Each structure stands twice: as structure tokens, then as C-alpha cells.
Amino acid sequence: MAVIEVKQGVLSVGSIHWERRLFDELIPIPDGTSYNSFLIIGSEKTALIDTVDPEKTRELLENLRKTGAKVDYVISNHAEQDHSGSIPAVLEKFPNAKVVTNAKCKGMLMDHLHIPEEKFLVIKDKEELSLGNKTLRFYMAPWVHWPETMLTYLVEDKILFTCDLFGSHFATSRLYAEEDAKVLEDAKRYYAEIMMPFRVQIRKYLKWIREMNPEIIAPSHGPLWKNPDFIISAYEDWVSDRLVNKVLLPYTSMHGSTRILVDRLINSLMEKGIGVVPFDLAKIDLGRFAIELVDAPTLILAAPTVLVGAHPLAIYAAYLTNALRPKLKFFGFMGSYGWGGKALDHILNQVSSLKVETFEPVMVKGLPGEEDLKKVDSLAEAIAEKHKELNIF
Ligand code: FEO
């Protein structure tokens, strides 16, 4: 990636990973990503804010070489390797540089990267580091999305460096986000996949970030926000309690019986004016599923029994839903079985962290008959009642 000036003495020196399509060997990233790293050149000292994924170390070092700067400090906002993984290479290049971070992050960097203890300068919440005519102030913000995360504010230029917070997996040659539906979708996908489990903490941070009133928000993935209100407002909505009148319906079916239940529920809900978002679990895009979870009140999982338990794809969906800790209020399960088993128990065990009310399950032996389909209609009726109680019709 090119070296790009953000402001006088503030350079973007990170890397774009155009072709990456999977993160953590789990999360689809259809638009690639970037690892943003920023060089702050003060009148006396120079600081590098976060680094890049180890796969792109050479690109970072080449960008640093182009600037001709000598790095005195490496600020580590987050120990995850896509931002910290090139710190050892930077320290090798600049042996007198110090890694500036909080105590928790220091421990994690020592664990994950074996950076020697003497390389660290440990800072606390709201502590400042002077670079001469530029000042860095550090704000502890644990759990966005690891326990050690912090934000760095460049006081004179009013730039807030937020690392993962407000990021998006979006490879673009533009420094700043175009405020369009595309960038918002990628930011929402990022929020849903990475940040949603921590929405209560994020609410708190959004309040003081509003008060701080930065001119630029510079995350370490995706484009920067030169109108911070755009992304802060979006986050305020995502972390709020607002729910939409819809049902998520992840399903799988081996021989068509469970699919009959799914189709009936879709029709029955639509007739009641309730939105339905079905996901075929064999082809699911986890990112799209996570996005829909952001404001969904109800999830009905539908899957057949395999041998004596729930279909593995259904267990996977239930596990992920549980891990993402969405705002869900209601949960249900339906499926066909051959000779019994514990599918329902398996699924309910997977969603034990969700604070949800559970609907009466619809479990059908073999091919659904008319009585079974009436139970599906009753489920739709029960969902409609609950949505009316929530005032989201
Ligand atoms: Fe982009 Fe949590 O690392």
C-alpha cells in the first residue's frame, strides 16, 4: 500500500490485503481487508500506531523506509496478531524503540510474540506521551474485543485511533469511507461478527467518544471516518435495544420433511405481516447471518435428527448464535426425526447463554401431516403475539 498523508505529520503506512477471504479461519470477508498502521511524526519523537499482519510485514517495513523516519515508539492498542504480529520486525529494525501499551496488553504481547520485557513502556488510562509538538493520550477500552484493548487519541490533530472498533473488512484504495450502503454493510458485518458480544461495554465507550468529539476516527481495518458522526450513529443504533419485526430461520433438511415445516412457517409468518429471513445452513454466509442477528427478536432453528442427536449444522448455528450474544428475545426449534433422540436437548444446551424465552418446539416423526402443520401455524401465532408485546409491529 502507498504511504498516504492523513494530516501533516500523520501518515498511513499499513497494508491492504485485497485477496483475503477468510478471517480466523472462520469469518468470511468477501471484500478483503486492510491492516492500518499510522506513523505520527512529532518535532522530537516518532510513534507507530499498531502494525500489520505478519503476512504483510515486508510492506510495512518498506513503507517505513520510504518515510525515512526513525521509530521511537510502537503503540500497541491491541495484542491480536493482525495488528501486533509485525512488532518484532519493527523492533529489529529500530532496536531502541519502545512498545507503548497497557499492562494487560504487555503480558499478552509477551505471551504471543515473545517480546522481551525490557522493550515495554507501560502506560495507564488517560496517560499522555509527548512527541514534541504532538501528544498521544491513551484510553483503556477493554473488551473491544479482547480484554487488553485501548484507544489512542492524537490530541492536537483530534484523531482517534480505535484499532478494531469502528473497523470494517473492506479493502479499498480510498483513505476515507464513502458514506454509502456498501461501507455501512461492511462495517455492520464487522460489528456483528466481532463486536456484538460486547455491545454493553461499547455503549459506554460511545458516550465518551461522542464527548471527545474527534475530527477523524482511524480504525485499523478498512477506511477512516472523516465524519465520525456517521459511524458513531450507526453503532449507537446497533448497540441499542431496537428490534425489527422479523424472524431468523436457519434450517437444514435431509429428506425434505423439515423443509416442509420451514416453508409452512415462512408462509404463516408472512401472512401475519412478520418478516422472515431463512438461511440454508449448508450454504450459509455467517457474516450475513450475523448482520441479521443485530436487530432480530426471534430465531427459529429447524433441523432434522441425525442418528440420535441434532444435525451438526444446527448445532454449529446454535453455538455461533450463543457466542455472538445478540439481542434475541425468543427462540424456537422444529424438526423431523425418525425414531427419537435428543436433538432438542442438544440444541438447547448450545444456547444456554442466551436470555431468551423458548417457544413450544415442533418435533415431527417422519413426514409432517396436517396436525403437525397446524402446530407450525400455532408457533407463528405465538411469535406474532410476542412481537406485538414488544411493540415492533
Ligand atoms: Fe483486527 Fe482483533 O484484530
Side-chain angles (χ1 to χ4, degrees):
M1 184 165 114
V3 174
I4 302 172
E5 187 174 78
V6 181
K7 272 195 171 184
Q8 191 273 321
V10 181
L11 303 174
S12 173
V13 293
S15 168
I16 300 176
H17 205 154
W18 300 96
E19 67 282 9
R20 189 164 183 178
R21 288 294 175 269
L22 200 59
F23 213 88
D24 294 342
E25 300 303 321
L26 172 69
I27 299 166
I29 48 172
D31 298 315
T33 192
S34 65
Y35 318 108
N36 302 337
S37 172
F38 302 94
L39 193 68
I40 317 295
I41 304 169
S43 55
E44 292 172 22
K45 299 281 186 188
T46 296
L48 181 68
I49 299 191
D50 293 319
T51 67
V52 301
D53 190 277
E55 208 174 316
K56 297 289 183 181
T57 301
R58 276 177 56 184
E59 213 171 306
L60 172 66
L61 293 180
E62 176 57 17
N63 282 348
L64 291 175
R65 189 195 62 75
K66 279 192 252 174
T67 68
K70 175 175 118 354
V71 175
D72 299 295
Y73 302 113
V74 183
I75 315 300
S76 182
N77 283 321
H78 176 28
E80 193 165 8
Q81 289 88 334
D82 52 325
H83 309 291
S84 68
S86 297
I87 293 176
V90 173
L91 293 178
E92 201 172 306
K93 191 85 184 161
F94 302 98
N96 294 324
K98 289 282 184 196
V99 180
V100 181
T101 193
N102 59 72
K104 185 96 185 169
C105 189
K106 170 189 160 185
M108 295 178 87
L109 291 172
M110 289 172 69
D111 289 342
H112 291 301
L113 299 168
H114 294 179
I115 297 173
E117 186 153 21
E118 64 270 18
K119 291 285 183 186
F120 287 92
L121 175 63
V122 174
I123 47 81
K124 294 197 173 78
D125 189 35
K126 298 191 181 57
E127 199 168 325
E128 294 188 345
L129 180 70
S130 174
L131 307 178
N133 63 341
K134 291 186 188 290
T135 312
L136 299 177
R137 190 185 298 145
F138 307 103
Y139 291 87
M140 301 306 116
W143 296 111
V144 289
H145 60 126
W146 280 17
E148 87 302 4
T149 45
M150 65 181 206
L151 317 181
T152 297
Y153 189 51
L154 178 51
V155 178
E156 292 78 5
D157 295 292
K158 296 191 166 194
I159 305 176
L160 182 63
F161 298 94
T162 55
C163 202
D164 279 344
L165 186 63
F166 304 124
S168 55
H169 287 309
F170 183 26
T172 170
S173 58
R174 294 184 186 278
L175 182 65
Y176 292 107
E178 306 281 297
E179 291 173 12
D180 56 16
K182 177 69 196 144
V183 81
L184 198 58
E185 168 155 330
D186 276 337
K188 189 172 186 181
R189 177 184 278 263
Y190 191 88
Y191 164 80
E193 292 167 338
I194 310 288
M195 296 293 169
M196 186 157 60
F198 310 104
R199 71 186 182 97
V200 173
Q201 286 93 331
I202 293 172
R203 274 183 189 173
K204 233 173 16 187
Y205 303 148
L206 292 178
K207 275 194 184 148
W208 57 252
I209 291 170
R210 274 248 180 248
E211 284 162 19
M212 179 188 284
N213 196 21
E215 279 181 11
I216 296 171
I217 285 180
S220 289
H221 294 293
L224 281 55
W225 307 96
K226 66 179 162 194
N227 172 17
D229 178 61
F230 182 78
I231 189 65
I232 295 173
S233 298
Y235 262 68
E236 284 169 341
D237 176 46
W238 300 334
V239 302
S240 75
D241 291 330
R242 187 179 71 85
L243 294 165
V244 169
N245 182 23
K246 67 180 175 185
V247 172
L248 301 198
L249 184 47
Y251 69 90
T252 192
S253 185
M254 295 192 300
H255 300 292
S257 294
T258 299
R259 181 62 201 251
I260 291 171
L261 302 175
V262 167
D263 288 340
R264 181 69 168 232
L265 185 60
I266 291 172
N267 290 342
S268 199
L269 289 169
M270 285 176 67
E271 283 167 10
K272 290 175 172 47
I274 300 172
V276 195
V277 190
F279 286 95
D280 180 344
L281 287 169
K283 304 179 184 107
I284 194 168
D285 168 353
L286 290 177
R288 281 241 51 88
F289 179 60
I291 286 173
E292 293 295 343
L293 275 173
V294 169
D295 51 15
T298 301
L299 186 145
I300 305 294
L301 187 53
T305 295
V306 178
L307 298 175
V308 294
H311 193 289
L313 289 177
I315 290 181
Y316 184 54
Y319 175 86
L320 278 172
T321 303
N322 193 61
L324 290 172
R325 283 186 261 157
K327 302 172 199 169
L328 284 179
K329 302 279 184 207
F330 307 107
F331 180 83
F333 183 71
M334 58 185 195
S336 168
Y337 62 93
W339 54 87
K342 296 191 174 301
L344 181 62
D345 292 347
H346 286 172
I347 293 299
L348 292 179
N349 283 342
Q350 293 300 325
V351 295
S352 57
S353 296
L354 297 179
K355 292 184 177 66
V356 287
E357 195 177 321
T358 308
F359 291 113
E360 187 68 29
V362 180
M363 304 300 291
V364 176
K365 191 169 189 190
L367 190 65
E370 202 40 48
E371 284 307 305
D372 301 311
L373 295 176
K374 281 184 185 159
K375 287 182 189 165
V376 176
D377 292 340
S378 298
L379 173 60
E381 192 58 51
I383 293 169
E385 284 304 312
K386 291 295 178 187
H387 284 204
K388 275 180 196 148
E389 284 171 22
L390 289 176
N391 266 329
I392 53 173
F393 254 80

